[in-house]
Amino acid sequence: MAGRIVCFGELLLRLTAPGRELLMQTGNLDVHVGGAEANVGIGLANLGHAVSMVSAVPDNPLGRAAIRFVRGQGLNTHNVQLRDGRMGLYFLSAGAGLRASDIVYDRAASSFAAAPADAFDWRAILDGAAMLHLSGITPALGPATAQAALSAARAARGLGVQVSFDGNYRARLWETWDSDPRAVLTELVSLTDTMFGNHRDISLLLGEQFSGDGPNRRREAAEAAFAAFPNLQRIASTARHIDDTDRHRIAARVDTRERGYQTEDVVVAGIVDRIGGGDAYAAGILHGVLSGQDLEATVATGLALTCLKHSLPGDASLFSQADIAAFLQGALDVRR
């Protein structure tokens, strides 16, 4: 496999109402470790890549449990700091039928959000790395994390380390402080090689409305982004059509400067947990890029991993290359 991937972002605990209960319906909650960047890292580690996690958690049983979990999935946690503060949390009530899932965040003033911008030595952390993966959630948390994300991306660019960036635009987080999301995200994307985002993200960045109605419109948005951001080499996205909570239709797409490729819809039925599906897709695409797969194979790998993630409780993809191969071969019988 290509060199080490560094993932920078907040580790969270997800507390989920069991089954498909509403939050606090019975007062019971299941706990999973989550976080967009960690989810991508875990997905990549399960595909055989060397991954390091960079974050900050409280020096208490919750923070140490989060570290143990990601370390148990094969991630190097040397640069996950133990700091004062609290653990970031979010609460999930899984949807059913025509009732959508519902999320409540409780992450204000967490150890990660409160960490100073200069808490991380990026030149040392990125030494020898092949790729840095970030998401738009980190800069949305506040001015310190915004500056930290920018510092990480600038250092990576200066060291010749590829930058992967997932837009993950969260308006409610940006609105909690005196922020300028377009300015911050524009600089991050200007430093990015691989962007995960769609026509809506490009519209925000360029201040121009683009439509996602069909492959030609999606290509139009991608070409505008390539023209605006010379370092950008590929843009990956999915299109999801929701029939009901248990049945979605998903297509995957990657655009390069030369061309775009989009799959047909795949029906994903009997959904167990859709949280983290986008992060699984990112892990699949980055696996394809780092493994030297061609465009079609890379898109197929991303689509396979996001579809498989819908079958698994929790936030992260825990699937192997053998699982992807079985999916692509249509192997649904029991493997004995």
Side-chain angles (χ1 to χ4, degrees):
M1 292 293 178
R4 179 171 54 94
I5 302 106
V6 175
C7 295
F8 175 51
E10 183 167 24
L11 291 171
L12 300 164
L13 292 184
R14 169 180 134 186
L15 292 88
T16 308
R20 297 194 169 183
E21 294 179 5
L22 299 176
L23 280 175
M24 303 309 294
Q25 182 176 329
T26 61
N28 298 316
L29 295 167
D30 298 325
V31 182
H32 297 278
V33 175
E37 302 82 5
N39 294 341
V40 174
I42 291 169
L44 285 166
N46 277 276
L47 292 172
H49 296 271
V51 182
S52 296
M53 188 70 207
V54 183
S55 191
V57 296
D59 187 6
N60 64 30
L62 300 179
R64 290 190 290 272
I67 292 174
R68 284 196 302 272
F69 175 78
V70 295
R71 185 187 297 137
Q73 292 301 323
L75 275 64
N76 181 306
T77 59
H78 177 74
N79 288 302
V80 179
Q81 300 179 8
L82 292 170
R83 305 185 68 92
D84 292 337
R86 60 180 293 263
M87 193 77 195
L89 309 174
Y90 80 96
F91 298 81
L92 171 69
S93 174
L98 299 179
R99 172 171 61 84
S101 298
D102 187 55
I103 286 176
V104 176
Y105 285 107
D106 180 21
R107 58 196 299 176
S110 67
S111 296
F112 180 80
D118 60 356
F120 305 98
D121 182 352
W122 289 111
R123 294 193 67 83
I125 291 169
L126 293 169
D127 183 40
M131 179 178 286
L132 168 70
H133 179 71
L134 304 161
S135 91
I137 295 175
T138 295
L141 293 173
T145 55
Q147 187 56 52
L150 289 167
S151 296
R154 290 168 187 153
R157 197 87 232 163
L159 292 168
V161 175
Q162 292 187 63
V163 177
S164 164
F165 179 71
D166 191 337
N168 274 336
Y169 183 69
R170 300 290 187 268
R172 290 182 179 177
L173 292 176
W174 287 104
E175 289 166 0
T176 62
W177 59 287
D178 184 19
S179 64
D180 186 349
R182 184 178 173 189
V184 174
L185 296 175
T186 295
E187 181 173 354
L188 284 170
V189 175
S190 76
L191 299 165
T192 291
D193 299 276
T194 299
M195 172 185 168
F196 295 91
N198 58 24
H199 61 284
R200 289 184 291 272
D201 297 284
I202 296 170
S203 296
L204 172 68
L205 291 168
L206 302 185
E208 179 181 350
Q209 288 303 308
F210 295 96
S211 170
D213 186 16
N216 290 338
R217 294 291 182 85
R218 286 175 174 261
R219 181 63 190 173
E220 179 184 9
E223 288 178 345
F226 288 132
F229 301 106
N231 288 317
L232 196 58
Q233 299 303 312
R234 63 190 63 83
I235 302 170
S237 62
T238 58
R240 182 189 298 267
H241 302 278
I242 300 175
D243 296 326
D244 61 41
T245 303
D246 297 316
R247 180 185 171 91
H248 297 181
R249 289 172 286 132
I250 303 174
R253 179 180 182 89
V254 171
D255 285 276
T256 67
R257 289 185 168 269
E258 294 76 29
R259 65 189 181 102
Y261 174 70
Q262 183 167 325
T263 69
E264 298 295 324
D265 285 357
V266 171
V267 175
V268 182
I271 293 172
V272 173
D273 190 342
R274 67 164 286 185
I275 303 298
D279 301 326
Y281 180 66
I285 295 297
L286 294 179
H287 172 68
V289 170
L290 292 164
S291 302
Q293 294 179 352
D294 64 24
L295 183 60
E296 288 79 4
T298 296
V299 177
T301 298
L303 180 61
L305 213 59
T306 194
C307 290
L308 287 168
K309 170 59 196 70
H310 287 68
S311 72
L312 188 69
D315 280 31
S317 167
L318 308 180
F319 297 101
S320 67
Q321 294 185 67
D323 296 318
I324 292 172
F327 175 90
L328 294 174
Q329 294 165 8
L332 296 177
D333 199 0
V334 176
R335 282 182 274 172
R336 302 180 189 275

